[in-house]
Amino acid sequence: MQSYHNAKSSSSSSGVTLGRILPIVDTVEWIERLISTPGITDVQLRFKDTSDYATILDRIQRAQTLCKSKGVRLWINDHWKAAIEAGDCFGIHLGQEDLASCVEAGGLDLIRSAGLAFGVSTHSYSELAASLGVRPSYISLGPVFPTSSKDVKFDPQGLETVRQWRSLMPPEIPLVAIGGIGNADVARVVREAGAECAAVIGAVTKADDVSEAVKDLNDAMS
């Protein structure tokens, strides 16, 4: 794993070193729990329960302080303006709608100027082509399998699409698979299909033993 500071210094260019798994959580409390779990190198904070900017900024600042203390890379979902203002976050994750509004607002230049990495969600060939055009740090594909963690408008992509995405993407850009990766057995087949990283939610947050789940997922993605 790269150190936090060494990784951040090169994060704005295409392609970034990711951990084998990317847990996605919706509270700072989960961030605090995960950063002390062996095998956690990256974590994404994704919350949709508030539009109050001060609240968003406060959560991001608290999360990034915690992550920096343990050398864990913090990715913020969608809230790119607050992530830039908070300072010292590692990266941003943008869905397609948020990517479009970010581009219109000149946000990608601001993100790069701040030295932040950014990943992009994709669900179709047209979205993949558009995402490659903005030179992201990683590209995610989903949902690979059926999922109840998020209300999605797209049918499950399946493993063949994972293989196709990997073949169409430059090798230096990591492919992140997301959606329905509920345990290590599922993660293993996703890795075999070509994904370098698995984004997970319930596989970690609903696990009886979080540390064991993280170890098993990392082993499956190795």
Side-chain angles (χ1 to χ4, degrees):
M1 169 185 166
Q2 294 175 319
S3 71
Y4 182 92
H5 293 289
N6 288 342
K8 193 169 192 309
S9 67
S10 60
S11 63
S12 58
S13 60
S14 293
V16 66
T17 299
L18 281 173
R20 296 167 183 162
I21 64 171
L22 176 60
I24 301 174
V25 297
D26 58 5
T27 66
V28 177
E29 288 72 23
W30 260 112
I31 295 283
E32 186 171 17
R33 181 175 180 182
L34 286 177
I35 60 172
S36 296
T37 303
I40 294 294
T41 60
D42 299 80
V43 65
Q44 183 185 132
L45 180 62
R46 181 175 75 187
F47 56 89
K48 307 290 186 180
D49 63 331
T50 182
S51 59
D52 180 71
Y53 187 81
T55 300
I56 293 169
L57 182 61
D58 175 69
R59 291 181 186 178
I60 292 174
Q61 287 174 328
R62 288 189 288 131
Q64 66 93 359
T65 298
L66 289 166
C67 286
K68 188 176 180 182
S69 72
K70 296 292 186 177
V72 172
R73 297 180 287 249
L74 174 65
W75 298 82
I76 299 298
N77 186 282
D78 293 346
H79 301 295
W80 60 271
K81 293 179 181 178
I84 290 173
E85 182 175 346
D88 239 1
C89 296
F90 183 78
I92 313 289
H93 179 86
L94 296 170
Q96 285 292 315
E97 292 181 1
D98 296 287
L99 174 61
S101 61
C102 180
V103 169
E104 290 176 4
L108 291 186
D109 288 337
L110 296 175
I111 290 170
R112 291 191 175 103
S113 295
L116 299 180
F118 73 98
V120 181
S121 296
T122 62
H123 314 86
S124 66
Y125 287 103
S126 60
E127 290 181 355
L128 175 60
S131 298
L132 288 172
V134 298
R135 298 181 293 111
S137 306
Y138 73 75
I139 288 176
S140 72
L141 168 68
V144 176
F145 303 110
T147 178
S148 60
S149 297
K150 184 181 179 182
D151 184 19
V152 293
K153 302 176 182 178
F154 297 88
D155 293 331
Q157 305 282 352
L159 293 173
E160 182 56 35
T161 307
V162 176
R163 297 184 186 97
Q164 292 172 359
W165 251 234
R166 184 62 277 172
S167 69
L168 292 169
M169 290 167 49
E172 68 271 15
I173 298 181
L175 173 60
V176 178
I178 184 171
I181 305 173
N183 57 55
D185 290 336
V186 179
R188 186 170 292 105
V189 297
V190 166
R191 177 69 187 100
E192 291 170 352
E196 285 81 18
C197 177
V200 294
I201 303 174
V204 169
T205 61
K206 295 180 180 179
D208 293 331
D209 186 324
V210 172
S211 294
E212 182 177 357
V214 168
K215 180 183 182 302
D216 290 345
L217 287 163
N218 272 317
D219 288 347
M221 290 298 295
S222 63

